[in-house]
Amino acid sequence: MDKERLFVYNIDFTLIEALHTNKQVYLTYYKNGQRITETGFIQFVDSLGDLFIFIDDVFELKNKMRLSELIDVRFVQK
């Protein structure tokens, strides 16, 4: 498996695990040239459709985003 496929697989795996266990995650992505990290909970994942929905921790709003926009996903350690 090449590095890009492994990277995508790891992100998908982490998002799906977070969805099923309701674990909080850090999501890092680029928006308007800025690197942004948000904390939230995953509500929906569609790997084939390149889409996921998360609830941000600050405003508790639903955010729809493309999986391809993600740079990193990590579990929040408590």
Side-chain angles (χ1 to χ4, degrees):
M1 190 179 292
D2 64 24
K3 287 183 181 182
E4 186 175 336
R5 279 190 186 169
L6 184 59
F7 174 75
V8 170
Y9 174 80
N10 286 336
I11 283 186
D12 282 351
F13 185 83
T14 303
L15 288 173
I16 290 168
E17 183 178 345
L19 172 67
H20 290 290
T21 61
N22 202 35
K23 289 183 181 176
Q24 193 174 30
V25 292
Y26 294 116
L27 300 162
T28 304
Y29 58 94
Y30 283 112
K31 184 175 184 177
N32 300 325
Q34 299 281 337
R35 185 180 171 131
I36 297 171
T37 299
E38 292 192 61
T39 307
F41 294 90
I42 305 303
Q43 187 177 51
F44 175 80
V45 178
D46 178 2
S47 299
L48 295 176
D50 189 39
L51 174 73
F52 74 100
I53 297 173
F54 72 98
I55 309 291
D56 73 71
D57 205 31
V58 177
F59 301 109
E60 297 183 357
L61 297 173
K62 279 187 183 182
N63 297 280
K64 194 182 290 187
M65 185 180 296
R66 294 189 175 280
L67 291 167
S68 56
E69 294 175 344
L70 285 173
I71 300 169
D72 192 29
V73 178
R74 296 182 190 265
F75 289 109
V76 173
Q77 303 297 321
K78 292 193 177 192

